Amino acid sequence: KAGVTQTPRYLIKTRGQQVTLSCSPISGHRSVSWYQQTPGQGLQFLFEYFSETQRNKGNFPGRFSGRQFSNSRSEMNVSTLELGDSALYLCASSPGRGRNTIYFGEGSWLTVV
Amino acid sequence: GESVGLHLPTLSVQEGDNSIINCAYSNSASDYFIWYKQESGKGPQFIIDIRSNMDKRQGQRVTVLLNKTVKHLSLQIAATQPGDSAVYFCAEMNTGNQFYFGTGTSLTVIP
């Protein structure tokens, strides 16, 4: 069974630009959550989607948004990039119902210059 | 002024020794816990989980202990190997079905 796949793995953007990151969950998993990981803040929860609906949201500004498609694939978007948005963005998937382990992808490394 | 980053607790162990990594969680209502291992440049990898109706769970070379009285979780790795060198995170899930992650512990195995 393929794991969680994230694309792109690495990208460099300029301040003010926007970026879209993609995540394909494990087959059969309907929940996708996104996390930001930085050396200064550790792993911070961004949001979680289940059946195309945002079910939980972390404490990030509105520049951070996401969506989920009918095939459970998810995208997150960051608009008006700031230097502080440089981070590893991790996607995790789970079956979605009940208390389940979440499985992470390898992440997308975003550098904002 | 200078910004200070997150300082990870560190643990160095000799190859072949046992490792114990500790985690204090914050919410007494949390009822599901997971340990993850993250190697440099990779995403976190599931190691073992435990639910609050248990106080111990064993896997291959790993044991997780849960002490709900003091809100403490530990991960024991038997016969630590160089491949175990990584950052280890604990995660707690509360009633809101959301995971909260600890700051992590950096484990270095000395050959």
Side-chain angles (χ1 to χ4, degrees):
Chain A
K1 204 180 222 186
V4 178
T5 305
Q6 292 189 245
T7 56
R9 286 280 282 134
Y10 303 93
L11 65 167
I12 300 174
K13 291 286 188 177
T14 305
R15 268 183 304 175
Q17 287 186 314
Q18 66 93 28
V19 66
T20 299
L21 308 177
S22 180
C23 173
S24 293
I26 292 170
S27 177
H29 284 191
R30 295 170 62 190
S31 168
V32 173
S33 49
W34 289 89
Y35 292 81
Q36 181 196 65
Q37 187 176 33
T38 62
Q41 298 294 326
L43 266 162
Q44 302 286 311
F45 172 75
L46 281 155
F47 28 66
E48 184 227 355
Y49 287 86
F50 177 78
S51 291
E52 302 178 67
T53 301
Q54 188 180 86
R55 193 160 65 170
N56 277 308
K57 189 178 188 304
N59 191 26
F60 276 81
R63 298 186 298 108
F64 292 81
S65 63
R67 59 178 176 168
Q68 186 179 34
F69 302 95
S70 58
N71 61 358
S72 294
R73 193 177 67 85
S74 177
E75 290 181 346
M76 69 161 282
N77 184 277
V78 188
S79 63
T80 320
L81 283 165
E82 301 175 0
L83 296 179
D85 297 332
S86 295
L88 175 65
Y89 289 88
L90 290 160
C91 169
S93 79
S94 80
R97 296 207 181 274
R99 269 141 160 65
N100 287 293
T101 303
I102 59 172
Y103 296 91
F104 286 90
E106 298 288 63
S108 293
W109 287 93
L110 171 65
T111 301
V112 182
V113 297
Chain B
E2 182 182 1
S3 66
V4 179
L6 196 65
H7 292 290
L8 292 180
T10 58
L11 175 66
S12 294
V13 298
Q14 207 71 36
E15 181 179 358
D17 287 353
N18 296 333
S19 303
I20 299 176
I21 300 171
N22 296 303
C23 178
Y25 63 93
S26 56
N27 191 335
S28 56
S30 294
D31 60 0
Y32 182 47
F33 305 87
I34 302 178
W35 279 100
Y36 286 93
K37 171 187 179 184
Q38 187 174 25
E39 296 174 274
S40 181
K42 296 187 176 183
Q45 178 186 2
F46 170 85
I47 302 174
I48 191 167
D49 61 355
I50 189 167
R51 300 188 188 272
S52 60
N53 61 351
M54 304 173 71
D55 51 23
K56 180 179 179 179
R57 190 155 190 238
Q58 289 183 288
Q60 187 178 11
R61 282 200 309 118
V62 294
T63 300
V64 55
L65 299 177
L66 175 62
N67 186 329
K68 295 180 286 293
T69 303
V70 294
K71 293 188 286 186
H72 183 267
L73 199 64
S74 69
L75 177 70
Q76 300 177 3
I77 305 173
T80 314
Q81 303 168 0
D84 295 327
S85 292
V87 175
Y88 290 81
F89 294 95
C90 65
E92 61 179 296
M93 178 182 268
N94 61 16
T95 52
N97 277 330
Q98 185 175 319
F99 278 105
Y100 293 90
F101 286 82
T103 53
T105 295
S106 178
L107 173 66
T108 300
V109 181
I110 304 164

